[in-house]
Amino acid sequence: MSVRTLPLLFLNLGGEMLYILDQRLRAQNIPGDKARKVLNDIISTMFNRKFMEELFKPQELYSKKALRTVYDRLAHASIMRLNQASMDKLYDLMTMAFKYQVLLCPRPKDVLLVTFNHLDAIKGFIQDSPTILHQVDETFQQLTEIYGGLSAGEFQLIRQTLLIFFQDLHIRVSIFLKDKVQNSNGRFVLPVSGPLPWGTKVPGLVRTFNNKGEEVRKVEFKHGGSYVAAPKEGSFELYGDRVLKLGTNMYSVNRPMETHMSGASENLAAQTQESIAPNPLAKEELNLLARLIGGMEIKKPSGPEPGFRLNLFTTDEEEETSRRTKSWLGSWGSLRSWTSQGGVPARAMICLP
């Protein structure tokens, strides 16, 4: 496990959260000034200097519940409010989008380019707020200083740590299903053709060398794929062509972003088991949350401006249906835990709808 993974995980998931919120704010015709305030408040909180200092300290990843608590707090750092069903859906979309990006990274180091794509898009949301832009640029500099000198092996360890974090998440998302990059069981379809990692050649040639390093034989073979060599390496500078498109805003075109309950049910069952099993890192997780949330320094709105509720579903009825379904599934999971332990629950709470 890499102790340098948490900042990349948080920033990329946060970028996906902002993409989704921006899309929903536009879809629900929220007035422009309110929408800008929501995004500005969330981004300002997300890139708070004290918060970033805690985030960048070398530390292991913690449970999904611990990080979810941070995003709950972050999403409500402004006048916008999400109910539980919408927050669940928001987090599902965030995690599945970034999981797909990590899987598709041509090189382990390219996860840094994905992060820079998210930061570039975030700066587009706050072009009229120089103070917040400066916060984001400071985080960019921290990323460059910390990750710029890491070896390929260290980035491989970071990628493995991210994949371990995502390995049990198989939630179906309509965008991925329609694009046929996700199967009906929630698992992604990875291409065997396409762009190659920077610095590699198109497959089709085997070269043999002797003990003096001299080439003694060449054998060509048919690779059976359709490969394209990378034209250039993506830029790791503050302003530059990232080349890689992973991490850019896939909601910039108005598309539906439904999650499907059959996949969410599998995820919920795994989360139920996780909540029942004793967690040896519970104390450390609480300490992490205390430091991270304490570093957010969320300021309450001082003016009389009223808040509003954002719905991540097409209608209020869909949102209520999702809430009831998850409530029933959670109750069933708790009931199964209670009966499997002879009627003596260790940490089960049954809340039947």
Side-chain angles (χ1 to χ4, degrees), residues 25 34-42 78-80 308:
L25 288 166
K34 281 192 175 183
R36 283 191 297 272
K37 176 174 175 53
V38 168
L39 295 179
N40 283 1
D41 287 348
I42 292 176
S78 187
I79 57 176
M80 178 194 69
F308 65 93

Side-chain angles (χ1 to χ4, degrees), residues 92-110:
D92 288 345
L93 289 166
M94 291 159 50
T95 52
M96 293 306 291
F98 184 45
K99 176 181 180 179
Y100 185 54
Q101 293 158 14
V102 174
L103 287 170
L104 286 188
C105 276
R107 302 176 301 171
K109 186 179 180 180
D110 287 337

Side-chain angles (χ1 to χ4, degrees), residues 181-231:
V181 298
Q182 192 179 32
N183 289 325
S184 59
N185 61 5
R187 297 182 183 275
F188 287 112
V189 179
L190 301 183
V192 294
S193 298
L196 294 169
W198 169 254
T200 61
K201 296 182 178 180
V202 175
L205 179 65
V206 178
R207 297 189 296 169
T208 306
F209 297 84
N210 60 20
N211 56 3
K212 296 180 180 180
E214 299 169 339
E215 184 178 309
V216 295
R217 187 184 179 193
K218 282 184 180 180
V219 178
E220 294 186 0
F221 66 92
K222 293 183 178 180
H223 50 68
S226 178
Y227 300 102
V228 179

Side-chain angles (χ1 to χ4, degrees), residues 163-174:
L163 292 176
I164 290 171
F165 179 83
F166 289 124
Q167 66 181 347
D168 296 325
L169 295 175
H170 305 296
I171 303 161
R172 297 187 301 161
V173 178
S174 62

